[in-house]
Amino acid sequence: MTHIVAYLCVLGSFLNGFDQCTVPESEFQLEGDYLIGGLFDIHQVNSSFYHHRPEAIDCSSAPFILSSYRRFQLMRFSVEEINNSTKLLPNVSLGYEIFDHCTDTVNFPGPLNLISVNGLIQPLEEPHKNLSKVIAVVGTYTSPQARAVAPLFMMNLIPMVSYGAASSIFSRRQIYPSFMRTVHASKDVTEVIFSILMEFNWKWVAFLYVDDSYGIDGLQLFLKKIKDTDICLAYNKALDHYSDYKAIFKQINAQNVNVIIVFAPEWTVEELMKSVKQINVTNKVWIAGDAWSLNKKIRDQIQGIKSIGTVLGVAEPNMTIPGFREFIYSFKAQTHCENAKQQKFCNQICHCSSLTAEEIIDADPSFSFPVYSAVYSIAHALHNILQCGADGCKENITVYPHMVLTELRKSNFTLLNQTVQFDENGEPMFGPYAIVFWDHDGSIHEVGYYNFHGSFDFSINSTIIKWHTADQVPTSVCSTECDVGYKKTQYGIHKCCFNCTICPNGTYNNITEDPYSCINCNNTQWSEEGSTSCSLRVVEYTPFTDIWAIGIMVGAFILVFISLALSVLFALNYNTPVVKSAGGPMCFLILVCLSLSSLSVFFYFGEPTVAFCILRYLPFLLFFTVCLACFVVRSFQIVCIFKIAAQIPKLHSWWMKYHGQWLFITVAFVTQAIFLLINYIYAPPSSKMDIYWNPKKIILDCDIDFKAALISLVLPLLFCFLCFVFSYMGKDLPKNYNEAKAITFCLLLLILTWIIFATGSILYQGKYMQPLQSLAVLSSLYSFLLWYFFPKCYIIIFQPQKNTHCYFQNLIQSYTKTISQ
């Protein structure tokens, strides 16, 4: 019997001519001055449908879709309402030819009928000739159906205004030049879903989608949206008639996913929820796409909704269409006889006379306004083409589909407080989305909204939502968020799965900047372990006002004063034996050099600059080297007089003749000056910031290249060594002439001072390292000033009897007798 029906459908389609299929009594047809096509999937052929030979589809034998039938009736109501209007298309009647488009693969007789003329299709005819009476088409509902039949209408630029096809492919004008839609694209739906996830901080989600162009497009858009965000797609699966739901939910539970997004039409979700109930999937958050978020059949299907969790959805706002209820009641009150004789063409019969008006009205109201606005958009476009006014419409204008398309793109009218407009890609520039919640009693509540156009606005009133987790927002994360100051260390392929590692000292973690890294503080900042930001370091150096600086500078002034006093004392007693044995005129040079060396002390305080760093070392190294040269000469002269003069008289004679002591000191001064010049040219001192000693502080100091500075230390070290040598050679000289012993003691104090400084510099590197070094310099100067010159002063002032030529002569005679014995 099925084959006979199929044969009759095909035969009626192509042999008897489509112009003789008009049955006024049919719901699917209405005569009018201008014809609008309609494609509604009142029945839905199962995706598992498979046939072995070409055959026509009898849609009326497939499962009935009540929500689509409601939309079908809404188109009929819209046309009737326009025909009864005195403002829109006055004196012009609209007709329709609607087909039950129950499949996207083999259901082509309906679309072919809409583009045919007298049962024939002649695609090679010249444009504008022999076109069908159809000026536009409303439909289809699903994206796969639209992709299948849209090229037939694109050929002659027949406007195809879809009320449900949401795939992003239809935004491409070069492929679908006459395609328009009054429903938001999937891109907008995924935008709302993404906003819901962000609102409740759900980062670990599953995405179930129908295995067709609509579902795949939704998955791709969602993946693109969550890219570079904190949301991870833990699991995704395409759904079809053969899906193993038990394995799907086993995987979802294994990955501890608590939020499931379902992007599929209602008939796919019905199968899904049937399996959910059988498998007993509980305690999940379900996010419904706009295709099923208001579906009453699915709500009734899920008994005990609290056990499966919480259902949120994205939906077209449930707008009441004025007069539609009355239209349905009036329609159902009429007597209709649905039998095979009424069907003059395939798939224009419903077998739904048993439906009550309440069942139709209470069906899923999704996409009601898109259908309503699609019909009105076409009517307004025709109204503009016919130049309709208060006196009626012009009758001498030939209307072609491409003219309707042009006016459709210019649409700008108000319908139910919505301004209907389209963008350059035929996308609607009207209509917000509602965010709905399915209560445990099966009722639906609007808990939020999302406006796309005008002033962007998104809001959710979460207090209305009754969560399945005891009024607490459920969580869905792979890993719990790290505490502040911890960085995320990803494991696996998902960035939402991570371990937490505390950031060490000197680093910080900024969640908004990079939660996966510990960012190093710069040199002028510091941070403790587990910090979220860096703090500025305290810059430290020893100022001139510091108590240590004041004390050391006072010590330097005292040294200069003592040197001046000693110079006066030695000048007054210049011809006495003690002054002459101490060096005579050389004493004044030593005192001057000690005073000049003390200048270095003053540059250890204040903020270090390049000039300060140079002057910190230059006076001391230069003039202290001269002091050491004087002591070398003095030690050598004493040994020479008592020991070398008798053994090497020529050396003594040469030394005395050419003033060897002054020549030696001059050469030492010039050589040291050259060494310092070389050092400062090739490796000049500079200021530096010590950031390693104390993590919270920056110690300002001078940076010295010690390898280059060694050349400046050659002479001081050499002179110290020579002083020790000559001191040892003169250890048995007369007491008053034994200057080498005093020099040795001074050198020992010098070495001890710098050993103490070196030890302190190893143990401490703070800001008081500079006062410590200046104190070492000052101690070095005082060691020679006090222990070399003060014994002479004591004799001059308190033991004048020892400061006579007779006393010194007796010492020499005693020493000579001792040597001769």
Side-chain angles (χ1 to χ4, degrees):
M1 183 65 186
T2 303
H3 299 309
I4 296 174
V5 173
Y7 174 79
L8 291 175
C9 286
V10 175
L11 187 64
S13 301
F14 299 101
L15 296 180
N16 293 337
F18 301 119
D19 58 326
Q20 301 186 12
C21 295
T22 303
V23 180
E25 296 83 0
S26 173
E27 297 176 71
F28 292 86
Q29 295 174 325
L30 178 68
E31 292 290 344
D33 298 326
Y34 297 95
L35 194 65
I36 300 177
L39 298 173
F40 290 82
D41 49 351
I42 300 172
H43 298 82
Q44 177 63 36
V45 173
N46 195 297
S47 58
S48 62
F49 174 79
Y50 180 77
H51 55 272
H52 299 277
R53 64 174 184 170
E55 59 183 77
I57 299 298
D58 180 13
C59 289
S60 61
S61 63
F64 175 71
I65 308 298
L66 179 58
S67 58
S68 290
Y69 182 70
R70 184 183 192 276
R71 289 187 281 269
F72 161 76
Q73 293 295 344
L74 190 57
M75 177 177 174
R76 297 181 61 244
F77 162 74
S78 302
V79 173
E80 181 177 304
E81 187 177 56
I82 292 169
N83 287 339
N84 293 331
S85 172
T86 57
K87 294 182 179 180
L88 183 61
L89 294 176
N91 303 323
V92 174
S93 63
L94 289 179
Y96 52 76
E97 181 87 10
I98 305 176
F99 294 92
D100 186 0
H101 197 77
C102 59
T103 175
D104 59 330
T105 54
V106 294
N107 194 13
F108 286 95
L112 291 174
N113 180 27
L114 294 177
I115 64 172
S116 66
V117 179
N118 298 324
L120 299 174
I121 300 175
Q122 297 177 330
L124 298 181
E125 288 290 330
E126 294 182 14
H128 311 316
K129 290 185 178 181
N130 295 324
L131 292 181
S132 68
K133 290 181 63 176
V134 174
I135 60 171
V137 177
V138 175
T140 60
Y141 174 54
T142 69
S143 295
Q145 293 170 348
R147 292 192 70 174
V149 302
L152 300 176
F153 301 105
M154 303 300 107
M155 179 173 54
N156 288 321
L157 293 182
I158 298 175
M160 183 177 180
V161 186
S162 176
Y163 54 87
S167 292
S168 56
I169 186 67
F170 299 115
S171 299
R172 301 174 65 178
R173 289 284 296 276
Q174 64 273 30
I175 301 178
Y176 300 98
S178 62
F179 186 93
M180 303 184 74
R181 53 185 163 194
T182 53
V183 64
H184 284 284
S186 296
K187 174 177 68 67
D188 294 337
V189 179
T190 56
E191 178 74 33
V192 182
I193 292 174
F194 173 79
S195 299
I196 295 173
L197 297 178
M198 294 296 291
E199 175 73 17
F200 296 111
N201 201 30
W202 293 326
K203 299 179 179 180
W204 191 237
V205 300
F207 194 96
L208 305 181
Y209 60 99
V210 63
D211 191 12
D212 60 21
S213 58
Y214 167 71
I216 295 171
D217 181 61
L219 174 65
Q220 293 173 344
L221 290 169
F222 183 72
L223 288 173
K224 183 178 180 181
K225 185 63 186 177
I226 66 174
K227 185 180 179 181
D228 301 326
T229 70
D230 290 335
I231 298 175
C232 297
L233 184 58
Y235 179 79
N236 69 87
K237 184 66 176 178
L239 305 179
D240 56 28
H241 183 67
Y242 304 102
S243 293
D244 185 350
Y245 291 105
K246 186 175 182 179
I248 290 173
F249 287 105
K250 182 178 180 181
Q251 184 68 22
I252 289 175
N253 289 328
Q255 293 189 254
N256 196 28
V257 180
N258 295 326
V259 175
I260 304 173
I261 302 166
V262 182
F263 206 84
E266 57 191 87
W267 44 87
T268 303
V269 180
E270 286 175 13
E271 288 189 38
L272 170 67
M273 290 305 176
K274 187 185 302 181
S275 300
V276 165
K277 193 172 182 180
Q278 292 174 352
I279 302 170
N280 193 27
V281 179
T282 60
N283 299 326
K284 302 293 183 186
V285 175
W286 302 83
I287 300 181
D290 57 347
W292 66 279
S293 57
L294 300 178
N295 192 279
K296 187 175 184 300
K297 184 178 180 181
I298 297 176
R299 297 201 311 275
D300 295 339
Q301 180 184 356
I302 308 173
Q303 296 298 325
I305 190 171
K306 188 174 183 179
S307 64
I308 71 164
T310 305
V311 180
L312 300 176
V314 180
E316 295 274 347
N318 188 5
M319 301 176 64
T320 301
I321 309 296
F324 179 62
R325 173 182 291 271
E326 292 75 12
F327 171 80
I328 295 298
Y329 275 108
S330 174
F331 163 70
K332 295 304 293 183
Q334 300 175 15
T335 302
H336 289 274
C337 179
E338 295 180 330
N339 52 50
K341 292 182 180 179
Q342 280 186 303
Q343 180 175 307
K344 298 298 182 180
F345 192 77
C346 293
N347 301 326
Q348 287 188 318
I349 193 168
C350 180
H351 293 310
C352 48
S353 58
S354 60
L355 289 174
T356 65
E358 289 77 8
E359 288 177 314
I360 300 173
I361 294 170
D362 294 339
D364 184 354
S366 299
F367 308 101
S368 295
F369 187 75
V371 173
Y372 192 58
S373 58
V375 177
Y376 265 87
S377 296
I378 297 170
H380 275 274
L382 183 60
H383 183 91
N384 294 335
I385 295 172
L386 297 177
Q387 301 175 19
C388 299
D391 299 332
C393 303
K394 294 184 179 180
E395 299 179 356
N396 58 347
I397 298 177
T398 303
V399 179
Y400 296 104
H402 72 89
M403 298 167 63
V404 179
L405 176 62
T406 300
E407 291 299 325
L408 270 172
R409 292 171 180 168
K410 301 177 183 177
S411 295
N412 188 356
F413 62 93
T414 301
L415 184 65
L416 300 184
N417 297 322
Q418 294 281 331
T419 302
V420 178
Q421 291 179 302
F422 300 92
D423 65 14
E424 64 277 5
N425 295 319
E427 305 285 349
M429 297 175 64
F430 57 91
Y433 264 118
I435 299 166
V436 298
F437 158 66
W438 289 15
D439 206 341
H440 304 152
D441 59 5
S443 60
I444 292 181
H445 306 282
E446 287 193 10
V447 296
Y449 57 87
Y450 192 109
N451 288 328
F452 293 98
H453 305 285
S455 58
F456 167 78
D457 197 8
F458 168 71
S459 176
I460 294 181
N461 185 2
S462 58
T463 59
I464 304 176
I465 303 174
K466 299 176 182 177
W467 303 105
H468 64 277
T469 51
D471 294 331
Q472 293 183 351
V473 178
T475 60
S476 186
V477 294
C478 180
S479 300
T480 305
E481 281 298 316
C482 297
D483 293 333
V484 293
Y486 285 74
K487 73 170 182 176
K488 299 176 181 179
T489 304
Q490 180 179 329
Y491 63 86
I493 62 173
H494 295 291
K495 59 180 176 292
C496 297
C497 302
F498 49 81
N499 295 317
C500 297
T501 306
I502 192 168
C503 289
N505 294 332
T507 65
Y508 71 97
N509 177 260
N510 188 331
I511 296 177
T512 58
E513 186 175 343
D514 184 4
Y516 295 91
S517 300
C518 291
I519 306 170
N520 292 321
C521 298
N522 60 38
N523 292 340
T524 62
Q525 297 175 325
W526 69 278
S527 68
E528 294 181 344
E529 187 179 63
S531 296
T532 57
S533 62
C534 293
S535 302
L536 287 176
R537 294 189 181 206
V538 177
V539 179
E540 286 193 345
Y541 57 88
T542 307
F544 285 99
T545 56
D546 187 87
I547 185 67
W548 285 96
I550 293 173
I552 292 172
M553 287 188 292
V554 169
F557 281 118
I558 293 174
L559 184 141
V560 174
F561 175 77
I562 293 174
S563 299
L564 181 60
L566 290 176
S567 299
V568 172
L569 180 64
F570 276 39
L572 293 176
N573 297 275
Y574 183 75
N575 292 319
T576 61
V578 170
V579 174
K580 289 183 178 180
S581 66
M586 196 174 294
C587 293
F588 300 102
L589 177 60
I590 293 173
L591 291 171
V592 170
C593 288
L594 290 176
S595 298
L596 292 175
S597 296
S598 67
L599 292 175
S600 295
V601 172
F602 296 94
F603 298 100
Y604 281 93
F605 312 110
E607 183 175 354
T609 62
V610 175
F612 269 47
C613 290
I614 292 175
L615 294 175
R616 181 177 293 185
Y617 300 103
L618 179 62
F620 177 72
L621 289 175
L622 181 60
F623 296 110
F624 194 70
T625 300
V626 176
C627 288
L628 291 176
C630 292
F631 288 119
V632 169
V633 169
R634 188 64 193 141
S635 301
F636 174 75
Q637 281 181 321
I638 296 172
V639 173
C640 182
I641 291 172
F642 286 94
K643 294 187 175 183
I644 299 177
Q647 299 175 8
I648 313 175
K650 289 184 178 181
L651 176 60
H652 179 262
S653 174
W654 181 89
W655 181 266
M656 297 300 295
K657 180 180 179 180
Y658 293 102
H659 304 286
Q661 68 273 26
W662 300 112
L663 181 62
F664 181 82
I665 292 170
T666 303
V667 171
F669 175 79
V670 173
T671 303
Q672 181 68 342
I674 293 173
F675 285 168
L676 288 171
L677 183 63
I678 293 173
N679 180 19
Y680 290 156
I681 289 176
Y682 289 98
S686 60
S687 60
K688 72 170 183 178
M689 295 187 300
D690 185 353
I691 60 176
Y692 303 106
W693 169 251
N694 191 322
K696 299 181 181 180
K697 298 179 180 179
I698 297 175
I699 309 299
L700 297 185
D701 199 358
C702 291
D703 188 18
I704 304 298
D705 187 341
F706 288 101
K707 291 183 179 179
L710 287 177
I711 192 174
S712 304
L713 300 176
V714 171
L715 287 182
L717 295 175
L718 176 62
F719 292 162
C720 288
F721 173 75
L722 291 176
C723 286
F724 279 115
V725 171
F726 293 138
S727 173
Y728 178 78
M729 291 175 64
K731 64 182 183 298
D732 55 346
L733 294 177
K735 182 178 180 181
N736 282 23
Y737 282 93
N738 198 351
E739 305 295 339
K741 292 181 180 180
I743 294 172
T744 300
F745 185 73
C746 294
L747 290 174
L748 290 175
L749 290 177
L750 175 69
I751 293 171
L752 179 62
T753 297
W754 288 102
I755 288 175
I756 294 173
F757 168 75
T759 304
S761 64
I762 293 173
L763 300 177
Y764 175 75
Q765 292 291 332
K767 74 171 185 176
Y768 288 108
M769 195 65 224
Q770 300 170 40
L772 181 62
Q773 187 173 0
S774 64
L775 185 61
V777 170
L778 195 61
S779 299
S780 302
L781 301 179
Y782 268 106
S783 64
F784 283 95
L785 182 67
L786 298 180
W787 301 108
Y788 183 78
F789 288 101
F790 269 37
K792 277 72 175 173
C793 297
Y794 180 79
I795 294 173
I796 294 173
I797 298 173
F798 298 105
Q799 295 179 340
Q801 69 276 8
K802 295 181 179 181
N803 190 19
T804 62
H805 290 285
C806 181
Y807 181 79
F808 273 76
Q809 191 66 31
N810 291 333
L811 289 176
I812 294 172
Q813 288 177 357
S814 298
Y815 174 76
T816 304
K817 289 178 181 180
T818 303
I819 293 298
S820 61
Q821 292 176 358

